[in-house]
Amino acid sequence: MNLDDIATIVYQPKNDHEPGFIYLMEAEGYHGLIPGCYLRRCKIGLSRNPEARLDNFHRNQPPCNVKILKTIYVEDMADVEGELHQQFSQYNVELIKSQEWFDFNPVQFLMVNWEFEKRSLHVFSISDLPIKLIIFSMIGVLSLGAIAGTKLGFSHKPDSQLNQARCKT
């Protein structure tokens, strides 16, 4: 086995055109002022594991408090990240080693959050609903059924009572 075979085994490039997460991180307290606007220094990136990415980021970057503000699950991480970088390119911070940092004023920050929501794949599960909502919804449906039944002439009385009531009239 030669050195090229070992390098091939050790290094396997990742395919970012697969499902994963897009995250929005913020460097807290790292801001500037534009007349009347407070800027938020944010990073739009991709990761299969955003929490591990944040830990790695803390270990390898200059000390500043960075937190994840939002993550979304998408089908193609590279495409969605590229679209977001392109859409917000005018707010890009000119850094030597990274093209993923942006300065957003409050309106731009709302726009970024809106774009994240639009692109998010919402996978619905019953566990997302609060138990009280489920219970009250079931009670509401049963109540509507009971009201509709009485209005349409359906009765909850046994057949023997219904026959006696009909015979008396």
Side-chain angles (χ1 to χ4, degrees), residues 52-62:
R53 175 67 183 109
L54 181 63
D55 291 342
N56 184 22
F57 191 80
H58 281 192
R59 285 193 305 272
N60 296 310
Q61 296 296 320

Side-chain angles (χ1 to χ4, degrees), residues 6-35:
I6 294 172
T8 303
I9 293 170
V10 173
Y11 176 74
Q12 294 183 4
K14 293 181 180 174
N15 179 10
D16 290 335
H17 290 283
E18 53 187 38
F21 295 92
I22 302 296
Y23 60 81
L24 181 65
M25 284 186 188
E26 179 181 13
E28 289 183 308
Y30 196 94
H31 56 81
L33 290 177
I34 292 179

Side-chain angles (χ1 to χ4, degrees), residues 5 9 13 16-18 26 32 49 51 54 61 65 84 92 95 107-108 112-113 123 126 142 147-149 153 156 167:
D5 293 336
I9 293 170
D16 290 335
H17 290 283
E18 53 187 38
E26 179 181 13
N49 184 343
E51 291 299 325
L54 181 63
Q61 296 296 320
N65 190 20
L84 290 169
N92 190 264
L95 299 174
V107 172
Q108 296 157 351
V112 170
N113 278 290
V123 179
I126 197 74
L142 291 173
I147 292 169
H156 61 281
C167 290

Side-chain angles (χ1 to χ4, degrees), residues 139-153:
I139 291 171
V141 168
L142 291 173
S143 299
L144 286 174
I147 292 169
T150 56
K151 294 292 183 191
L152 295 174

Side-chain angles (χ1 to χ4, degrees), residues 22-25 68-72 112-114 116-117:
I22 302 296
Y23 60 81
L24 181 65
M25 284 186 188
I68 295 176
L69 300 176
K70 184 178 273 303
T71 59
I72 58 172
V112 170
N113 278 290
W114 173 250
F116 264 68
E117 282 301 315

Side-chain angles (χ1 to χ4, degrees), residues 36-99:
C37 295
Y38 172 76
L39 296 179
R40 297 177 84 161
R41 176 73 45 99
C42 296
K43 182 179 190 299
I44 299 172
L46 60 83
S47 177
R48 286 164 190 79
N49 184 343
E51 291 299 325
R53 175 67 183 109
L54 181 63
D55 291 342
N56 184 22
F57 191 80
H58 281 192
R59 285 193 305 272
N60 296 310
Q61 296 296 320
C64 66
N65 190 20
V66 178
K67 67 179 183 176
I68 295 176
L69 300 176
K70 184 178 273 303
T71 59
I72 58 172
Y73 186 78
V74 296
E75 287 295 325
D76 187 326
M77 295 184 298
D79 281 352
V80 173
E81 182 195 38
E83 289 170 8
L84 290 169
H85 284 186
Q86 179 64 36
Q87 185 171 357
F88 296 105
S89 62
Q90 69 259 29
Y91 313 118
N92 190 264
V93 177
E94 297 294 325
L95 299 174
I96 294 171
K97 292 186 177 184
S98 176
Q99 299 298 312

